[in-house]
Structure formats: C-alpha cells, structure tokens
Amino acid sequence: MADEQLESTRLALREAMAHGERAAELARLLAAAEARLAEAEDATAELRGLQERLEETEERLQKVQAAEEKLRRDLAEQRYQAEVAKWKLSSVQVARWSRLGDAIKTGKSNPVRLARGLRGAA
C-alpha cells in the first residue's frame, strides 16, 4: 500500500509538473500575444495620426490647387484685357481722325506744316 501511495504521489507529481510546464508555456505565449497586441495598438495609433496628417495635407493641396486655378483664370483675363487694349490702341492710332487731329495740332502755328500734315493724314 505504501508503494501504491508512493507511485500515485509520483504520478500526481509528474502530472503537476506537466501542468506547470504547460501553464508556464501558456503564460509565455500569453505575454508574447499581449506584447504583439500592444505593438498593434501602437501601430494603429500611429496609423490614425498619419491618416489625419494625410487628410490635412489633401485639404491644403485642394486649397492650393483652387488658388492656382483662380490665379490662372485671372492671368488669362489680364492677358485678354491687354490684347484688347493693344488692339484698341492700334485701332485708334491708325484711325484717320487721329491722324487729322495730330496734323492739326502740330501745324496750328505753321500753315505749311498744317498743309503737309493734312495731306499726309488724308
């Protein structure tokens, strides 16, 4: 009977050691899983921060693009207005009345110059 008790104690001790080893392995695996979970949470937080920065950058980019488009339109309008002004100026310069007015103005004190200017303007 003592042998049976000794054997059952040995068996119980082996089982307890096996359970202890499994428990230690599970504790190690749990610690590793918790560490990976903490790393994943940190990565998620960093990703959220990067996502926010990306959204802010995209908003700024859209604002800059809108401002650039407005400047392009303004520049095109100014170029158009400059071309119109050039055309009007050349139109006035070649107009007969303008030439006659210039001839009268330059020749008002000298009749000979007036006659030459009027002949050239005509």
Side-chain angles (χ1 to χ4, degrees):
M1 187 147 6
D3 286 335
E4 288 178 21
Q5 281 183 345
L6 184 59
E7 191 59 36
S8 70
T9 303
R10 283 182 187 159
L11 184 60
L13 186 57
R14 278 188 213 132
E15 288 177 10
M17 287 183 68
H19 283 294
E21 288 173 0
R22 277 187 252 137
E25 179 66 18
L26 288 174
R28 186 187 65 76
L29 290 174
L30 180 61
E34 287 175 344
R36 284 194 307 262
L37 179 63
E39 289 173 3
E41 288 174 350
D42 291 343
T44 302
E46 183 179 351
L47 183 62
R48 283 186 186 130
L50 291 174
Q51 182 69 27
E52 289 174 2
R53 286 181 52 202
L54 177 63
E55 290 171 358
E56 291 171 0
T57 303
E58 287 175 343
E59 288 175 8
R60 283 187 285 157
L61 177 62
Q62 288 175 351
K63 289 177 183 177
V64 167
Q65 287 174 339
E68 179 185 10
E69 182 61 31
K70 183 183 180 308
L71 289 173
R72 285 181 193 272
R73 284 188 306 236
D74 290 348
L75 178 61
E77 178 65 24
Q78 288 175 358
R79 284 181 178 164
Y80 172 76
Q81 292 298 332
E83 289 298 319
V84 168
K86 285 180 187 177
W87 173 79
K88 285 182 179 179
L89 177 62
S90 67
S91 174
V92 167
Q93 286 175 340
V94 297
R96 184 172 184 208
W97 293 109
S98 174
R99 290 182 302 199
L100 288 174
D102 289 342
I104 293 171
K105 181 179 177 187
T106 57
K108 68 180 174 181
S109 62
N110 186 343
V112 174
R113 228 187 294 163
L114 175 63
R116 282 187 198 153
L118 289 177
R119 195 173 339 131

